[in-house]
Amino acid sequence: MALLRKINRGLLILLILVAFALLYKKTRLQTLPKYSVLEKDGAKTGVEDEKATDTDIPVVICASEERIGAAIATINSVYSNSRASIFFYIVTLRDAIKKIREYIEKTKLRKIKYKILEFNPMVLKGKVNPDSSRPELLHPLNFVRFYLPLLGIENHERIVYLDDDVIVQGDIQELYNIKLKAGHAAAFASDCDLPPTHEMVRSVGMQTTYMGFLDYRKEEVRELGINPSDCSFNPGVFVADIGEWKRQKITKQLEKWMAKNVRENLYSSAMAGGVATPPMLIVFHDKYTTIDPMWHVRHLGWSPDSHYPRSFLKDARLLHWNGHFKPWNYPCVHLDIWEKWFIPDPTGKFTLVRP
């Protein structure tokens, strides 16, 4: 009997220790530092204090140091082709702030309305796996689109997000004014919505369905109930409803899938969309408004040999050189269209690669 009491006492002590250990772990997780999306001392590094008005169309674009000239070409195309008042939020890392401002202020773009925002890459700590198969897709700025409501632009009801490898040929106001369906936080272009691109897609073996982005061998992916043959979308161009984004806690949802991927490798940069596209495909599956496909004619960067008909490109409102072959490098297709909007770097640091 005495032995039984000792055993029970020992088990009780063990249970208490386990409970304390779990409580400590939970408390420790809750007190881990939460990083701000923007660096708080950004103003000290030369960030503009210009403010947008209610009538401005807000456009968010990222500009990494090595691709500043690309972002400038995108900005120039948007600014030159719109009659509306545009306010550019240019998101970058600290090392590029001064160079971006100099690029703008010493060229014809000095008249644009803009603000440079310094993104804090520490916000991604523990959320992205190092992966060397396509390192360019792991650049911190690739994930800025996840954090739109946290960029200090909450005074806008909606924003337009653009990758830096696009050229806008239409008036961006038309895209901005798209009517989003009730309950939708964003509008994208479906990868299956533009028949003229289907031949190019087949010719270079591109993926246009969820099968190409998620690892359906993983149980957690299969449990999503997403048909692998469902059409994907490209998140390099979209319109976001900031209020709806907040209400649905889109950023939290995206971060959840980033964390899951770190633990379970549900997708990787070796797959079609790298590591930034799959979380958005999951969170927005069947929950987005489709934009006019002519407002996102893409795949121009997937092959140095596959060309679109000139008449088709002329009618396109927006062109996207997504893929490996970028128009500031060589080889690439339809270079003349992109170069029309390129502004040479006044410092001479950003140069085009040409034969």
Side-chain angles (χ1 to χ4, degrees):
M1 199 71 177
L3 179 60
L4 184 61
R5 282 198 295 272
K6 287 183 179 180
I7 293 174
N8 289 337
R9 189 180 301 116
L11 288 173
L12 179 62
I13 292 172
L14 181 61
L15 286 172
I16 292 173
L17 290 173
V18 170
F20 272 114
L22 290 173
L23 182 62
Y24 170 77
K25 183 178 180 181
K26 182 178 180 182
T27 304
R28 182 174 177 272
L29 286 173
Q30 289 176 341
T31 56
L32 284 174
K34 291 185 177 180
Y35 298 100
S36 172
V37 170
L38 296 179
E39 292 285 8
K40 294 182 180 179
D41 59 347
K44 298 178 183 178
T45 53
V47 178
E48 281 64 27
D49 293 323
E50 192 167 2
K51 296 185 182 299
T53 67
D54 292 339
T55 58
D56 289 331
I57 294 177
V59 175
V60 173
I61 182 170
C62 296
S64 62
E65 182 179 18
E66 61 274 16
R67 290 167 56 149
I68 292 177
I72 291 294
T74 302
I75 292 170
N76 185 30
S77 70
V78 173
Y79 176 70
S80 300
N81 287 310
S82 181
R83 291 178 292 179
S85 176
I86 314 294
F87 194 98
F88 294 96
Y89 290 97
I90 306 169
V91 188
T92 190
L93 303 181
R94 178 166 302 184
D95 56 4
I97 291 177
K98 182 179 179 181
K99 298 171 185 176
I100 294 171
R101 189 179 58 209
E102 189 173 19
Y103 210 136
I104 292 173
E105 297 299 335
K106 291 186 176 181
T107 64
K108 70 175 186 177
L109 291 182
R110 57 184 171 274
K111 295 181 180 180
I112 70 171
K113 299 169 69 175
Y114 73 102
K115 184 173 184 179
I116 301 175
L117 304 175
E118 182 186 350
F119 185 68
N120 178 12
M122 289 302 294
V123 76
L124 302 173
K125 187 176 181 180
K127 301 184 182 78
V128 180
N129 260 335
D131 191 329
S132 61
S133 56
R134 289 191 66 186
E136 75 277 10
L137 298 178
L138 297 175
H139 195 289
L141 295 180
N142 272 343
F143 302 92
V144 165
R145 70 197 84 195
F146 290 11
Y147 297 95
L148 296 180
L150 305 179
L151 294 178
I153 56 176
E154 62 278 352
N155 55 309
H156 300 290
E157 293 182 0
R158 61 168 58 184
I159 64 95
V160 176
Y161 175 90
L162 301 176
D163 274 352
D164 65 355
D165 52 357
V166 311
I167 289 297
V168 176
Q169 300 186 136
D171 190 330
I172 199 72
Q173 188 169 21
E174 181 184 333
L175 179 62
Y176 175 78
N177 286 335
I178 183 175
K179 184 178 181 180
L180 272 69
K181 294 181 180 178
H184 286 180
F188 304 92
S190 167
D191 282 334
C192 303
D193 61 5
L194 197 57
T197 68
H198 292 175
E199 183 177 347
M200 176 180 283
V201 168
R202 287 191 297 269
S203 68
V204 298
M206 282 181 289
Q207 294 290 341
T208 58
T209 66
Y210 275 69
M211 176 63 79
F213 296 87
L214 303 178
D215 189 349
Y216 276 84
R217 295 171 298 179
K218 302 295 175 65
E219 183 178 356
E220 184 126 18
V221 171
R222 295 194 301 270
E223 288 178 349
L224 287 168
I226 298 175
N227 190 323
S229 63
D230 281 359
C231 289
S232 53
F233 60 82
N234 185 297
V237 174
F238 64 93
V239 180
D241 182 314
I242 298 300
E244 196 63 42
W245 191 291
K246 288 180 179 179
R247 281 189 288 275
Q248 296 184 30
K249 299 180 179 179
I250 297 295
T251 297
K252 289 291 184 183
Q253 292 187 58
L254 292 168
E255 287 189 321
K256 180 188 78 171
W257 285 103
M258 291 170 72
K260 281 181 177 289
N261 185 59
V262 170
R263 296 192 304 268
E264 303 171 38
N265 197 30
L266 304 177
Y267 49 84
S268 73
S269 63
M271 301 185 80
V275 293
T277 298
M280 298 196 78
L281 291 178
I282 293 172
V283 172
F284 286 103
H285 179 254
D286 279 347
K287 297 177 183 176
Y288 68 92
T289 300
T290 55
I291 66 176
D292 181 342
M294 295 304 285
W295 265 104
H296 195 176
V297 174
R298 45 209 180 277
H299 312 319
L300 277 75
W302 272 92
S303 169
D305 303 309
S306 299
H307 295 72
Y308 283 119
R310 302 297 292 189
S311 58
F312 173 66
L313 294 177
K314 184 178 180 181
D315 292 337
R317 315 305 285 163
L318 181 149
L319 302 174
H320 190 180
W321 279 262
N322 59 308
H324 294 281
F325 303 96
K326 302 300 185 184
W328 51 91
N329 291 326
Y330 188 86
C332 184
V333 297
H334 306 300
L335 293 175
D336 58 318
I337 298 176
W338 185 86
E339 287 182 359
K340 178 182 177 182
W341 306 106
F342 173 67
I343 299 175
D345 184 352
T347 69
K349 294 176 182 177
F350 182 91
T351 57
L352 303 181
V353 177
R354 295 294 182 261

